[in-house]
Amino acid sequence: NGMVSKNDIISIEQPNDNKGHAADALQTASLLINNFEVDFCRLRHEKYSKHSRIPVSTRIATVVEDAWRRDLTINCLYYNLGSNQVEDFTECGIRDLILQQIDTPKAPLKTLLEDPTRILRAIRFAAQLSFDISLELLSAARDDRVREALRG
């Protein structure tokens, strides 16, 4: 019937690390739709301090701003309910799905220096999807600054 019932809701979460960070206000919801788990989250823009991957502030963002803050290009895709189409505001996500490649929407080294744990997500997605990691992202992961930050 096209309707989602409360029985389809897997979880609605509000992360809370009890540290008073802006991350405490982030909310996500997951629904099970036709046996697919679909995650929803608020469009947001985040600001980070130099030495933390936890945002110091967040605000509601445009869909374009939200797309460009994403860690991986395949996470920059949006489904438009009105047009019934997938929208790719970075113009990289659909390409990388077709190429079966994991990459970042911004320069990989800049992305990993902002949050070095993103390489762990990239590896996890590559393993789960049997995708390759782009050469540029692999090169950035080998940078001594990224490796040091992961040890840190």
Side-chain angles (χ1 to χ4, degrees):
N1 66 9
M3 299 296 292
V4 176
S5 76
K6 66 180 180 179
N7 295 331
D8 296 318
I9 297 175
I10 297 170
S11 66
I12 298 176
E13 302 173 14
Q14 182 168 354
N16 187 345
D17 61 10
N18 294 318
K19 295 180 184 174
H21 294 291
D24 293 346
L26 302 179
Q27 293 182 332
T28 62
S30 296
L31 299 179
L32 189 60
I33 302 174
N34 294 328
N35 292 321
F36 288 100
E37 188 173 329
V38 180
D39 295 329
F40 297 88
C41 65
R42 170 182 278 178
L43 300 177
R44 65 186 185 269
H45 179 272
E46 302 169 331
K47 288 198 179 216
Y48 294 86
S49 69
K50 187 174 182 179
H51 299 291
S52 176
R53 62 184 187 90
I54 299 171
V56 294
S57 67
T58 61
R59 66 169 171 78
I60 295 174
T62 67
V63 67
V64 173
E65 288 174 316
D66 188 73
W68 281 102
R69 75 161 189 85
R70 298 282 169 180
D71 55 354
L72 304 172
T73 57
I74 60 172
N75 290 335
C76 296
L77 301 173
Y78 299 82
Y79 184 73
N80 185 319
L81 296 172
S83 67
N84 203 30
Q85 294 185 344
V86 173
E87 296 179 339
D88 183 359
F89 296 100
T90 65
E91 299 180 354
C92 302
I94 292 173
R95 176 204 66 200
D96 287 343
L97 278 176
I98 292 167
L99 294 174
Q100 297 183 333
Q101 169 178 272
I102 302 296
D103 203 358
T104 58
K106 296 185 284 189
L109 183 57
K110 179 181 185 327
T111 298
L112 295 183
L113 290 175
E114 287 174 355
D115 181 355
T117 64
R118 288 174 170 164
I119 191 59
L120 304 177
R121 283 179 45 85
I123 293 166
R124 180 171 50 94
F125 272 98
Q128 288 175 333
L129 300 171
S130 297
F131 281 18
D132 294 320
I133 297 176
S134 75
L135 295 177
E136 295 83 4
L137 183 52
L138 286 173
S139 177
R142 291 184 181 109
D143 186 281
D144 288 338
R145 294 169 291 176
V146 172
R147 296 172 86 171
E148 183 61 33
L150 281 170
R151 285 189 206 107

